[in-house]
Amino acid sequence: GLDYDYAVCATGTTVIDAAGQVHRTRMLEADQVREVVRAIGDIAEAPVSVFASTLERDYVLDDPIGLSTDQRTPPDRFTAAPLSRVAGLGVTSMPLHIPDARAAAALVRGLEEAVDGISCTRSTGFVDVTAAGESKGTGLGRLAALLADQGLEISEVAAVGDSWNDISMFERADVPCAIGGAPDEVVEAAGGRTTPSVAAFIDALLA
């Protein structure tokens, strides 16, 4: 396993430490969660499985694709619950599973037009809905601010990723790197630098 001091998670909305203490987080409003679900029903051009993540657990609201019951998914990964219960629990992000790339791009545009105060970020097979302006890049900014409050300064940032939601992180990194096989836009955002694996990237940095 990999030890860490802090982790930026939930599409950049949350910073936690190694003990699991939350230092920074930003959540969707309950009305936004409800509006996202309603808008998906109105504008989605392909099946969409709707999930909601809180600081405590991940919920499944609707799963026509069957990700939550896939044999490769741990049986306790998601908790099934109605929207009426989940919306007010403090949702940090809403991962929407939509494998069709064209439909995913259209869903991003449609949701951001239909629901005020949200951002939609694509990753492979998913669209992540967060409060407006949230991203892995803003998460790194939160971490830098947290460390600065402790009198610590980040001298260099290395980042590795494989999808569009990593581009904002690359923009803040001194050494960005894409996983081999990532979409062209992701590789371009990493300055053309690629690696076959996270382990290989770390080895190269240490060398």
Side-chain angles (χ1 to χ4, degrees):
L2 182 65
D3 293 330
Y4 62 90
D5 296 315
Y6 295 95
V8 178
C9 48
T11 317
T13 64
T14 304
V15 178
I16 64 173
D17 63 24
Q21 180 182 350
V22 177
H23 291 264
R24 302 282 192 277
T25 192
R26 186 176 174 209
M27 300 172 183
L28 289 161
E29 299 292 336
D31 283 347
Q32 290 175 315
V33 176
R34 298 185 191 100
E35 289 172 17
V36 167
V37 173
R38 281 197 293 267
I40 290 169
D42 292 339
I43 65 179
E45 301 176 2
V48 181
S49 290
V50 183
F51 303 89
S53 296
T54 70
L55 295 176
E56 290 75 31
R57 66 187 63 191
D58 299 311
Y59 293 91
V60 53
L61 300 177
D62 187 29
D63 189 14
I65 299 172
L67 178 66
S68 61
T69 56
D70 189 293
Q71 62 179 2
R72 293 166 295 183
T73 302
D76 58 351
R77 177 69 174 82
F78 299 104
T79 300
L83 174 63
S84 58
R85 177 187 167 201
V86 173
L89 293 180
V91 173
T92 54
S93 64
M94 297 180 69
L96 312 177
H97 184 40
I98 178 167
D100 185 291
R102 185 193 62 80
L107 184 63
V108 167
R109 294 191 297 271
L111 284 177
E112 290 187 337
E113 291 175 1
V115 183
D116 291 336
I118 66 165
S119 288
C120 298
T121 307
R122 285 186 62 198
S123 60
T124 306
F126 284 86
V127 170
D128 292 320
V129 181
T130 62
E134 295 301 314
S135 68
K136 291 184 179 183
T138 58
L140 276 181
R142 278 195 177 91
L143 177 58
L146 173 64
L147 294 175
D149 289 345
Q150 299 174 7
L152 301 173
E153 182 179 350
I154 299 176
S155 60
E156 187 174 55
V157 174
V160 61
D162 64 355
S163 200
W164 299 278
N165 62 349
D166 296 309
I167 291 176
S168 65
M169 179 175 65
F170 291 166
E171 291 170 348
R172 286 181 172 264
D174 301 294
V175 187
C177 187
I179 297 291
D184 290 344
E185 304 98 309
V186 179
V187 175
E188 181 179 351
R193 185 184 290 108
T194 62
T195 180
S197 66
V198 175
F201 179 58
I202 293 173
D203 287 343
L205 289 173
L206 294 177

